[in-house]
């Protein structure tokens, strides 16, 4: 068994959609990035790749490559699953946390879990997503960005 940990952060910006866990969340700002900037999926991908000893998402999907500009992170997650499958790894569980002052994530967590389970071909019970604020502290607390972390167990 192998454990992986992932972390991602993106700045909030005008004129961008807010997509987290593959869910489009109504909000006045979205996350800035080369892809759809889905911090949760990026953290999960890094956790999975790390556990498998396969580097990180920057190695597999560099932001200097135009083929990934605006791409859905759910599609990239499916490609990470292919990398794991190539080495006969199976995912036992994923636990993650979204850190955002606003908007509230709880109404969207069930759909996020469903999106991730479908992309990875695992049961929804193997995925846990939590959300928290930072009580107004730091860049997430000040509403400047959103971050996420994830940990996974694979075998």
């Amino acid at each position: 068994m192998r454990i992986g940990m992932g972390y991602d952060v993106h700045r909030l910006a005008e004129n961008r959609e807010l997509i987290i866990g593959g869910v489009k969340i109504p909000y006045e700002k979205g996350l800035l990035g080369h892809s759809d900037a889905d911090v949760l999926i990026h953290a999960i991908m890094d956790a999975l790749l790390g556990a498998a000893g396969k580097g990180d998402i920057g190695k597999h999907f560099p932001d200097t490559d135009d083929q990934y500009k605006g791409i859905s992170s759910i599609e990239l997650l499916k490609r990470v699953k292919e990398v794991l499958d190539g080495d006969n790894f199976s995912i036992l569980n994923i636990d993650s946390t979204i850190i955002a002052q606003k908007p509230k994530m709880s109404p969207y967590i069930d759909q996020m879990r469903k999106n991730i389970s479908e992309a990875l071909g695992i049961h929804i019970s193997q995925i846990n997503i939590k959300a928290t604020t930072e009580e107004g502290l730091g860049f997430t607390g000040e509403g400047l960005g959103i971050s996420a972390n994830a940990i996974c167990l694979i075998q």
Side-chain angles (χ1 to χ4, degrees):
M1 287 194 274
R2 300 172 73 150
I3 296 170
M5 194 279 296
Y7 173 81
D8 194 42
V9 60
H10 285 276
R11 178 182 302 276
L12 283 162
E14 302 285 339
N15 303 313
R16 292 278 299 190
E17 292 182 336
L18 180 59
I19 300 171
I20 300 180
V23 177
K24 185 177 172 184
I25 299 171
Y27 192 57
E28 62 206 32
K29 294 180 181 178
L31 294 171
L32 188 60
H34 186 69
S35 66
D36 63 6
D38 188 328
V39 292
L40 176 62
I41 301 299
H42 292 183
I44 290 170
M45 289 191 298
D46 267 349
L48 293 168
L49 289 167
K54 296 293 183 179
D56 61 17
I57 61 174
K59 175 183 174 183
H60 292 268
F61 316 111
D63 64 6
T64 55
D65 191 331
D66 283 342
Q67 72 175 312
Y68 304 119
K69 186 166 181 59
I71 194 168
S72 163
S73 295
I74 289 288
E75 291 306 312
L76 297 178
L77 183 60
K78 291 176 184 176
R79 295 182 193 184
V80 167
K81 172 70 163 122
E82 291 171 4
V83 170
L84 295 177
D85 288 347
D87 284 344
N88 296 313
F89 284 116
S90 60
I91 300 166
L92 299 179
N93 80 302
I94 297 167
D95 186 29
S96 58
T97 305
I98 304 162
I99 301 108
Q101 196 64 34
K102 292 181 183 176
K104 293 292 183 193
M105 298 291 152
S106 57
Y108 309 102
I109 287 177
D110 288 342
Q111 185 61 51
M112 292 176 191
R113 291 176 65 222
K114 183 176 186 268
N115 293 346
I116 295 164
S117 72
E118 289 174 357
L120 293 174
I122 61 176
H123 194 271
I124 197 167
S125 67
Q126 294 171 270
I127 301 161
N128 189 55
I129 300 171
K130 305 172 297 294
T132 190
T133 69
E134 289 192 307
E135 304 296 327
L137 300 173
F139 70 91
T140 58
E142 293 173 11
L144 300 175
I146 295 176
S147 65
N149 59 51
I151 190 164
C152 69
L153 183 63
I154 65 172
Q155 70 177 0

